[in-house]
Amino acid sequence: MSSRQFLPIAIYYEQPIWFKLLFEELDRRGANYVKLSAVEHSYGPEDHPEEKYAVVLNKMSPSAWNRGHGDQIFYTLGYLEHLERRGVRVVNGVKAFRSELSKAAQLSMLEALGLGYPKARVIHRASQASAAAEGLRFPVVVKPNIGGSGSGVVKFQTKEHLAEASATENGLMLGMDSTGLVQEFVPARGSYIVRVEVLNGKFLYAIKIHITGETFDLCPADICKTPLGVELDRAACPIDAAKDGLAVEAFDAPPDVIAEVERLMAEAGIELGGVEFMIDDRDGVRVYYDINALSNFVADGPKVVGFDPFVKLADWLEAEAKIVNERRAGVQEFVEVGR
């Protein structure tokens, strides 16, 4: 099988800045890959992507609606279904993307798996918020079902505060699908949260993010220092993305956490992504509150976790593409011999 017949890795993405370091690593090693920008993408039902790509890595972001690209979210579901029907090897395909697009579904998943999560109610119009908060401990947050980067999350200290907002036109933002969560605001013990990353569905690393409680956008790629004040290289992030007051460091995840995260990601169909949890300071219970299929690795991985996660990701993608291409070569050879 000649080199020109080997199919490339395809990276399907919406926000190019986030994947700058992945593209640089693939370029550095001369990898056979192509970029598929969701912004300009289109396809036909008669297309045969299995003849174009060995592997498609889905990096569509649920927060795209904040950048004027919300139309691509539901479009992507159709495209992923097309890829999978044609037998394309897709990383974070339809099941994974659907899991990421619904915080309500994530909570149901956590409940089914017997894992802790912040108590919440699911609503589909703002006027339901006050009644939904009955039985919840205040403060509460109202968050869009389709989120991303903390988008649209609002904290309410009292029932009166929530009632006033829910009675006001545009007082609450439920997001693209008009669905939202009214959820207890969990005070994080030690003022930190933990994010656990997986690659190929297996534990990759964990980080501790020291928080202030003033922001819900905890993208690890945007946090620019360690607890000791060491500055991190944030080459993949916008210049205005620094999170004042936040710091990040490696976390030694215990075996039970690793097992829970891997079980959760398998249930969600997520091969590459991150899960966030905290310890509820009110009762000491570990609660998982965010499941991400689109994972922005920690800034300056070698300095924080001791290795470059983009190197490991590129290694894995190339290995997956090799499996597909070798299988394809074997089939072609069999066909040619049979002629």
Side-chain angles (χ1 to χ4, degrees), residues 150-183:
S151 303
V153 182
V154 181
K155 181 179 177 181
F156 296 93
Q157 294 288 351
T158 67
K159 294 180 180 180
E160 292 74 22
H161 187 196
L162 176 61
E164 181 181 355
S166 63
T168 304
E169 186 176 0
N170 300 322
L172 295 177
M173 182 171 64
L174 299 185
M176 288 192 66
D177 60 354
S178 298
T179 302
L181 305 184
V182 181
Q183 188 171 66

mmCIF file of all heavy atoms in Angstrom, residues 150-183:
data_model
loop_
_atom_site.group_PDB
_atom_site.id
_atom_site.type_symbol
_atom_site.label_atom_id
_atom_site.label_comp_id
_atom_site.label_asym_id
_atom_site.label_seq_id
_atom_site.Cartn_x
_atom_site.Cartn_y
_atom_site.Cartn_z
ATOM 1 N N GLY A 150 -18.429 27.863 31.800
ATOM 2 C CA GLY A 150 -19.178 28.600 32.822
ATOM 3 C C GLY A 150 -20.214 29.553 32.266
ATOM 4 O O GLY A 150 -20.759 30.384 33.012
ATOM 5 N N SER A 151 -20.528 29.425 30.992
ATOM 6 C CA SER A 151 -21.419 30.377 30.332
ATOM 7 C C SER A 151 -22.822 30.374 30.936
ATOM 8 O O SER A 151 -23.438 29.324 31.099
ATOM 9 C CB SER A 151 -21.529 30.051 28.837
ATOM 10 O OG SER A 151 -20.264 30.060 28.235
ATOM 11 N N GLY A 152 -23.326 31.554 31.262
ATOM 12 C CA GLY A 152 -24.704 31.721 31.688
ATOM 13 C C GLY A 152 -25.008 31.301 33.103
ATOM 14 O O GLY A 152 -26.171 31.346 33.527
ATOM 15 N N VAL A 153 -24.001 30.874 33.877
ATOM 16 C CA VAL A 153 -24.245 30.439 35.250
ATOM 17 C C VAL A 153 -24.391 31.653 36.162
ATOM 18 O O VAL A 153 -23.536 32.535 36.170
ATOM 19 C CB VAL A 153 -23.102 29.542 35.763
ATOM 20 C CG1 VAL A 153 -23.404 29.072 37.190
ATOM 21 C CG2 VAL A 153 -22.903 28.345 34.840
ATOM 22 N N VAL A 154 -25.502 31.704 36.922
ATOM 23 C CA VAL A 154 -25.775 32.833 37.811
ATOM 24 C C VAL A 154 -26.068 32.300 39.210
ATOM 25 O O VAL A 154 -26.826 31.336 39.370
ATOM 26 C CB VAL A 154 -26.965 33.678 37.314
ATOM 27 C CG1 VAL A 154 -27.210 34.857 38.255
ATOM 28 C CG2 VAL A 154 -26.711 34.177 35.895
ATOM 29 N N LYS A 155 -25.488 32.933 40.202
ATOM 30 C CA LYS A 155 -25.650 32.527 41.598
ATOM 31 C C LYS A 155 -26.693 33.407 42.284
ATOM 32 O O LYS A 155 -26.709 34.621 42.108
ATOM 33 C CB LYS A 155 -24.307 32.647 42.315
ATOM 34 C CG LYS A 155 -24.300 32.236 43.771
ATOM 35 C CD LYS A 155 -22.884 32.400 44.328
ATOM 36 C CE LYS A 155 -22.785 32.092 45.790
ATOM 37 N NZ LYS A 155 -21.390 32.293 46.289
ATOM 38 N N PHE A 156 -27.569 32.770 43.071
ATOM 39 C CA PHE A 156 -28.612 33.488 43.808
ATOM 40 C C PHE A 156 -28.485 33.154 45.295
ATOM 41 O O PHE A 156 -28.532 31.987 45.686
ATOM 42 C CB PHE A 156 -29.996 33.098 43.291
ATOM 43 C CG PHE A 156 -30.224 33.497 41.854
ATOM 44 C CD1 PHE A 156 -29.956 32.601 40.823
ATOM 45 C CD2 PHE A 156 -30.689 34.766 41.540
ATOM 46 C CE1 PHE A 156 -30.149 32.973 39.500
ATOM 47 C CE2 PHE A 156 -30.881 35.138 40.219
ATOM 48 C CZ PHE A 156 -30.613 34.255 39.195
ATOM 49 N N GLN A 157 -28.358 34.197 46.100
ATOM 50 C CA GLN A 157 -28.141 33.999 47.530
ATOM 51 C C GLN A 157 -29.420 33.647 48.284
ATOM 52 O O GLN A 157 -29.370 32.928 49.287
ATOM 53 C CB GLN A 157 -27.533 35.271 48.141
ATOM 54 C CG GLN A 157 -26.132 35.605 47.636
ATOM 55 C CD GLN A 157 -25.073 34.651 48.165
ATOM 56 O OE1 GLN A 157 -25.343 33.831 49.039
ATOM 57 N NE2 GLN A 157 -23.864 34.753 47.637
ATOM 58 N N THR A 158 -30.555 34.150 47.809
ATOM 59 C CA THR A 158 -31.805 33.962 48.546
ATOM 60 C C THR A 158 -32.951 33.572 47.617
ATOM 61 O O THR A 158 -32.879 33.765 46.395
ATOM 62 C CB THR A 158 -32.203 35.250 49.275
ATOM 63 O OG1 THR A 158 -32.541 36.259 48.293
ATOM 64 C CG2 THR A 158 -31.089 35.756 50.180
ATOM 65 N N LYS A 159 -34.040 33.043 48.210
ATOM 66 C CA LYS A 159 -35.234 32.712 47.449
ATOM 67 C C LYS A 159 -35.817 33.959 46.803
ATOM 68 O O LYS A 159 -36.306 33.918 45.672
ATOM 69 C CB LYS A 159 -36.277 32.072 48.365
ATOM 70 C CG LYS A 159 -35.879 30.720 48.925
ATOM 71 C CD LYS A 159 -36.973 30.160 49.828
ATOM 72 C CE LYS A 159 -36.587 28.805 50.392
ATOM 73 N NZ LYS A 159 -37.637 28.241 51.278
ATOM 74 N N GLU A 160 -35.775 35.084 47.537
ATOM 75 C CA GLU A 160 -36.329 36.330 47.024
ATOM 76 C C GLU A 160 -35.561 36.803 45.799
ATOM 77 O O GLU A 160 -36.152 37.290 44.818
ATOM 78 C CB GLU A 160 -36.296 37.393 48.119
ATOM 79 C CG GLU A 160 -37.235 37.134 49.296
ATOM 80 C CD GLU A 160 -36.737 36.026 50.223
ATOM 81 O OE1 GLU A 160 -35.503 35.749 50.207
ATOM 82 O OE2 GLU A 160 -37.572 35.441 50.944
ATOM 83 N N HIS A 161 -34.261 36.686 45.853
ATOM 84 C CA HIS A 161 -33.413 37.081 44.731
ATOM 85 C C HIS A 161 -33.745 36.251 43.491
ATOM 86 O O HIS A 161 -33.869 36.775 42.380
ATOM 87 C CB HIS A 161 -31.939 36.895 45.133
ATOM 88 C CG HIS A 161 -30.958 37.408 44.132
ATOM 89 N ND1 HIS A 161 -29.617 37.056 44.160
ATOM 90 C CD2 HIS A 161 -31.097 38.220 43.055
ATOM 91 C CE1 HIS A 161 -28.998 37.642 43.151
ATOM 92 N NE2 HIS A 161 -29.872 38.352 42.462
ATOM 93 N N LEU A 162 -33.903 34.946 43.689
ATOM 94 C CA LEU A 162 -34.246 34.058 42.575
ATOM 95 C C LEU A 162 -35.641 34.356 42.042
ATOM 96 O O LEU A 162 -35.853 34.401 40.817
ATOM 97 C CB LEU A 162 -34.154 32.602 43.019
ATOM 98 C CG LEU A 162 -34.565 31.548 41.988
ATOM 99 C CD1 LEU A 162 -33.673 31.610 40.752
ATOM 100 C CD2 LEU A 162 -34.512 30.146 42.599
ATOM 101 N N ALA A 163 -36.600 34.573 42.955
ATOM 102 C CA ALA A 163 -37.972 34.853 42.534
ATOM 103 C C ALA A 163 -38.038 36.120 41.699
ATOM 104 O O ALA A 163 -38.763 36.185 40.695
ATOM 105 C CB ALA A 163 -38.884 34.971 43.756
ATOM 106 N N GLU A 164 -37.300 37.120 42.091
ATOM 107 C CA GLU A 164 -37.288 38.384 41.343
ATOM 108 C C GLU A 164 -36.747 38.180 39.938
ATOM 109 O O GLU A 164 -37.309 38.691 38.962
ATOM 110 C CB GLU A 164 -36.430 39.410 42.094
ATOM 111 C CG GLU A 164 -36.364 40.761 41.409
ATOM 112 C CD GLU A 164 -35.493 41.750 42.155
ATOM 113 O OE1 GLU A 164 -35.015 41.421 43.265
ATOM 114 O OE2 GLU A 164 -35.268 42.849 41.621
ATOM 115 N N ALA A 165 -35.659 37.433 39.822
ATOM 116 C CA ALA A 165 -35.072 37.199 38.496
ATOM 117 C C ALA A 165 -35.983 36.347 37.625
ATOM 118 O O ALA A 165 -36.131 36.605 36.428
ATOM 119 C CB ALA A 165 -33.713 36.531 38.653
ATOM 120 N N SER A 166 -36.620 35.328 38.212
ATOM 121 C CA SER A 166 -37.458 34.425 37.427
ATOM 122 C C SER A 166 -38.742 35.102 36.951
ATOM 123 O O SER A 166 -39.368 34.640 35.995
ATOM 124 C CB SER A 166 -37.795 33.172 38.237
ATOM 125 O OG SER A 166 -38.547 33.496 39.380
ATOM 126 N N ALA A 167 -39.143 36.177 37.631
ATOM 127 C CA ALA A 167 -40.356 36.898 37.250
ATOM 128 C C ALA A 167 -40.084 38.003 36.237
ATOM 129 O O ALA A 167 -41.012 38.651 35.746
ATOM 130 C CB ALA A 167 -41.019 37.493 38.483
ATOM 131 N N THR A 168 -38.822 38.210 35.908
ATOM 132 C CA THR A 168 -38.424 39.292 35.008
ATOM 133 C C THR A 168 -38.102 38.736 33.636
ATOM 134 O O THR A 168 -37.437 37.708 33.519
ATOM 135 C CB THR A 168 -37.180 40.017 35.560
ATOM 136 O OG1 THR A 168 -37.447 40.475 36.876
ATOM 137 C CG2 THR A 168 -36.809 41.202 34.678
ATOM 138 N N GLU A 169 -38.598 39.412 32.606
ATOM 139 C CA GLU A 169 -38.288 38.996 31.246
ATOM 140 C C GLU A 169 -36.782 39.043 31.045
ATOM 141 O O GLU A 169 -36.122 40.023 31.368
ATOM 142 C CB GLU A 169 -38.980 39.907 30.227
ATOM 143 C CG GLU A 169 -38.815 39.436 28.791
ATOM 144 C CD GLU A 169 -39.587 40.310 27.809
ATOM 145 O OE1 GLU A 169 -40.247 41.267 28.256
ATOM 146 O OE2 GLU A 169 -39.521 40.025 26.602
ATOM 147 N N ASN A 170 -36.222 37.963 30.545
ATOM 148 C CA ASN A 170 -34.784 37.825 30.338
ATOM 149 C C ASN A 170 -33.991 37.859 31.646
ATOM 150 O O ASN A 170 -32.784 38.109 31.647
ATOM 151 C CB ASN A 170 -34.263 38.917 29.392
ATOM 152 C CG ASN A 170 -34.918 38.867 28.027
ATOM 153 O OD1 ASN A 170 -35.173 37.790 27.495
ATOM 154 N ND2 ASN A 170 -35.216 40.031 27.465
ATOM 155 N N GLY A 171 -34.671 37.609 32.763
ATOM 156 C CA GLY A 171 -33.984 37.609 34.049
ATOM 157 C C GLY A 171 -33.120 36.377 34.250
ATOM 158 O O GLY A 171 -32.145 36.416 34.996
ATOM 159 N N LEU A 172 -33.464 35.266 33.599
ATOM 160 C CA LEU A 172 -32.688 34.039 33.665
ATOM 161 C C LEU A 172 -32.395 33.565 32.248
ATOM 162 O O LEU A 172 -33.250 33.639 31.372
ATOM 163 C CB LEU A 172 -33.453 32.941 34.410
ATOM 164 C CG LEU A 172 -33.740 33.157 35.897
ATOM 165 C CD1 LEU A 172 -34.572 32.008 36.436
ATOM 166 C CD2 LEU A 172 -32.448 33.295 36.687
ATOM 167 N N MET A 173 -31.208 33.054 32.037
ATOM 168 C CA MET A 173 -30.827 32.553 30.719
ATOM 169 C C MET A 173 -30.724 31.031 30.799
ATOM 170 O O MET A 173 -29.856 30.503 31.505
ATOM 171 C CB MET A 173 -29.490 33.145 30.269
ATOM 172 C CG MET A 173 -29.056 32.697 28.883
ATOM 173 S SD MET A 173 -27.609 33.600 28.260
ATOM 174 C CE MET A 173 -26.362 33.089 29.436
ATOM 175 N N LEU A 174 -31.603 30.341 30.092
ATOM 176 C CA LEU A 174 -31.599 28.888 30.115
ATOM 177 C C LEU A 174 -30.812 28.283 28.961
ATOM 178 O O LEU A 174 -30.523 27.096 28.971
ATOM 179 C CB LEU A 174 -33.035 28.353 30.108
ATOM 180 C CG LEU A 174 -33.904 28.780 31.299
ATOM 181 C CD1 LEU A 174 -35.260 28.082 31.229
ATOM 182 C CD2 LEU A 174 -33.218 28.492 32.625
ATOM 183 N N GLY A 175 -30.486 29.081 27.969
ATOM 184 C CA GLY A 175 -29.621 28.589 26.911
ATOM 185 C C GLY A 175 -30.340 28.153 25.657
ATOM 186 O O GLY A 175 -31.538 28.354 25.476
ATOM 187 N N MET A 176 -29.591 27.498 24.793
ATOM 188 C CA MET A 176 -30.033 27.193 23.437
ATOM 189 C C MET A 176 -31.268 26.305 23.377
ATOM 190 O O MET A 176 -32.092 26.440 22.481
ATOM 191 C CB MET A 176 -28.903 26.495 22.678
ATOM 192 C CG MET A 176 -27.753 27.387 22.300
ATOM 193 S SD MET A 176 -26.682 26.534 21.133
ATOM 194 C CE MET A 176 -27.775 26.386 19.729
ATOM 195 N N ASP A 177 -31.384 25.372 24.315
ATOM 196 C CA ASP A 177 -32.501 24.426 24.257
ATOM 197 C C ASP A 177 -33.606 24.768 25.256
ATOM 198 O O ASP A 177 -34.468 23.932 25.531
ATOM 199 C CB ASP A 177 -32.004 22.993 24.486
ATOM 200 C CG ASP A 177 -31.325 22.812 25.839
ATOM 201 O OD1 ASP A 177 -31.134 23.816 26.544
ATOM 202 O OD2 ASP A 177 -30.987 21.665 26.177
ATOM 203 N N SER A 178 -33.558 25.987 25.796
ATOM 204 C CA SER A 178 -34.572 26.453 26.751
ATOM 205 C C SER A 178 -34.713 25.521 27.948
ATOM 206 O O SER A 178 -35.790 25.374 28.516
ATOM 207 C CB SER A 178 -35.943 26.620 26.051
ATOM 208 O OG SER A 178 -35.869 27.589 25.026
ATOM 209 N N THR A 179 -33.623 24.899 28.318
ATOM 210 C CA THR A 179 -33.592 24.003 29.469
ATOM 211 C C THR A 179 -32.468 24.438 30.396
ATOM 212 O O THR A 179 -31.412 24.881 29.931
ATOM 213 C CB THR A 179 -33.362 22.541 29.031
ATOM 214 O OG1 THR A 179 -34.406 22.169 28.115
ATOM 215 C CG2 THR A 179 -33.363 21.590 30.205
ATOM 216 N N GLY A 180 -32.713 24.338 31.690
ATOM 217 C CA GLY A 180 -31.688 24.746 32.638
ATOM 218 C C GLY A 180 -31.778 23.969 33.931
ATOM 219 O O GLY A 180 -32.724 23.203 34.171
ATOM 220 N N LEU A 181 -30.782 24.157 34.778
ATOM 221 C CA LEU A 181 -30.741 23.537 36.092
ATOM 222 C C LEU A 181 -30.842 24.604 37.170
ATOM 223 O O LEU A 181 -30.220 25.665 37.055
ATOM 224 C CB LEU A 181 -29.432 22.768 36.303
ATOM 225 C CG LEU A 181 -29.020 21.698 35.309
ATOM 226 C CD1 LEU A 181 -27.737 21.023 35.793
ATOM 227 C CD2 LEU A 181 -30.115 20.689 35.100
ATOM 228 N N VAL A 182 -31.634 24.319 38.190
ATOM 229 C CA VAL A 182 -31.571 25.076 39.439
ATOM 230 C C VAL A 182 -30.851 24.141 40.401
ATOM 231 O O VAL A 182 -31.358 23.068 40.735
ATOM 232 C CB VAL A 182 -32.969 25.435 39.968
ATOM 233 C CG1 VAL A 182 -32.854 26.241 41.254
ATOM 234 C CG2 VAL A 182 -33.747 26.225 38.917
ATOM 235 N N GLN A 183 -29.658 24.540 40.820
ATOM 236 C CA GLN A 183 -28.760 23.610 41.495
ATOM 237 C C GLN A 183 -28.147 24.243 42.735
ATOM 238 O O GLN A 183 -27.830 25.442 42.743
ATOM 239 C CB GLN A 183 -27.653 23.197 40.521
ATOM 240 C CG GLN A 183 -26.730 22.104 40.986
ATOM 241 C CD GLN A 183 -25.827 21.649 39.852
ATOM 242 O OE1 GLN A 183 -24.991 22.405 39.368
ATOM 243 N NE2 GLN A 183 -26.018 20.420 39.397
#
